[in-house]
Amino acid sequence: MSVRTIYPASLSIIQDEHEHLSSVIQGMRYFVRKIEGGGIAPDLKVFRAMLYYIMEYPEKVHHPKEEQYLFAKIKERTHQLDNELDALSEQHAKGELLVHRLFHALLDYEFGGKPAFAHFRDLVEQYAQFYFAHMRAEEEKIIPVARQVLNEHDWKEIDAAFLENRAHLDDAGARYKYEELFSLIVNITPAPIGVADPL
């Protein structure tokens, strides 16, 4: 079966969402390293906005779409990625747990001060490494095989599901909320990650 030359809409959506998540996670890393280096501590509302974005968008929108549509359709067509897909689904659950731990570590740092910083810093780095590896696995292992084994009809179903989900979110105002939140994060995050004035 030849590789489809047209880039499916669902994969474009996944790529866009991965880029947004990468920007947010890099922003978290930047702030932690800024504090560790003795720089001016950023307003913690920035951390809270980043964690809220991760808790709301990937966990409630991005991951369910991947599992219900893309992963499920791949499993219908081939079993060569069953173990990898199951592992990625497990990582989705683990990622949610890590984010909740990050949120509590942020509260500990906010109210406990410097003694609680090291734990928060370590969790930020742990989450960043975990999630970047997770996205690489999807982009480098899963998507290339999907483009090989899924046919035109499969992609139409997957694209329709992703686009319908996106349209539903637009109608409900939810997607606008997430896009607005991401824009807020970019605008209040100092350069080089965001567009706000450097700390």
Side-chain angles (χ1 to χ4, degrees):
M1 183 182 299
S2 61
V3 177
R4 190 170 184 245
T5 56
I6 299 175
Y7 202 77
S10 51
L11 297 188
S12 295
I13 293 171
I14 290 172
Q15 185 63 44
D16 288 345
E17 292 172 352
H18 280 185
E19 289 175 2
H20 279 196
L21 285 167
S22 295
S23 296
V24 171
I25 294 170
Q26 288 288 27
M28 292 172 60
R29 273 178 147 177
Y30 173 78
F31 277 119
V32 166
R33 292 170 181 175
K34 190 76 173 179
I35 295 171
E36 187 172 31
I40 300 173
D43 191 325
L44 290 180
K45 73 179 181 181
V46 178
F47 282 111
R48 286 193 290 270
M50 290 173 172
L51 286 177
Y52 180 70
Y53 182 86
I54 292 172
M55 291 171 73
E56 289 292 306
Y57 197 73
E59 306 305 337
K60 294 184 179 180
V61 180
H62 179 77
H63 294 161
K65 286 191 297 185
E66 287 181 330
E67 293 183 18
Q68 294 170 18
Y69 304 117
L70 180 63
F71 292 4
K73 186 60 71 173
I74 292 172
K75 283 188 172 185
E76 287 182 14
R77 298 301 177 195
T78 181
H79 294 295
Q80 72 182 95
L81 292 178
D82 282 0
N83 290 337
E84 289 85 351
L85 292 172
D86 288 343
L88 288 172
S89 294
E90 290 175 4
Q91 289 171 18
H92 287 166
K94 181 180 178 181
E96 185 175 4
L97 177 61
L98 288 176
V99 171
H100 284 287
R101 288 178 180 172
L102 264 176
F103 179 72
H104 287 293
L106 171 61
L107 291 178
D108 287 341
Y109 171 59
E110 184 173 4
F111 294 104
K114 190 174 181 180
F117 173 73
H119 179 60
F120 178 61
R121 174 202 61 206
D122 292 345
L123 283 183
V124 168
E125 189 60 32
Q126 178 186 352
Y127 183 80
Q129 293 182 11
F130 165 81
Y131 210 90
F132 285 139
H134 175 83
M135 289 190 288
R136 278 198 305 272
E138 291 181 343
E139 293 172 3
E140 297 176 6
K141 296 179 180 179
I142 304 305
I143 289 176
V145 173
R147 289 174 62 82
Q148 291 175 350
V149 302
L150 301 183
N151 58 41
E152 194 80 14
H153 179 71
D154 294 333
W155 283 119
K156 284 182 179 179
E157 286 188 18
I158 296 169
D159 288 353
F162 273 64
L163 291 169
E164 180 182 354
N165 201 338
R166 172 173 276 187
H168 172 70
L169 289 172
D170 285 337
D171 291 341
R175 184 168 183 85
Y176 174 75
K177 178 182 72 174
Y178 295 127
E179 294 296 337
E180 187 177 54
L181 177 59
F182 180 75
S183 296
L184 171 66
I185 291 169
V186 171
N187 286 323
I188 64 179
T189 304
I193 303 299
V195 297
D197 291 334
L199 292 172

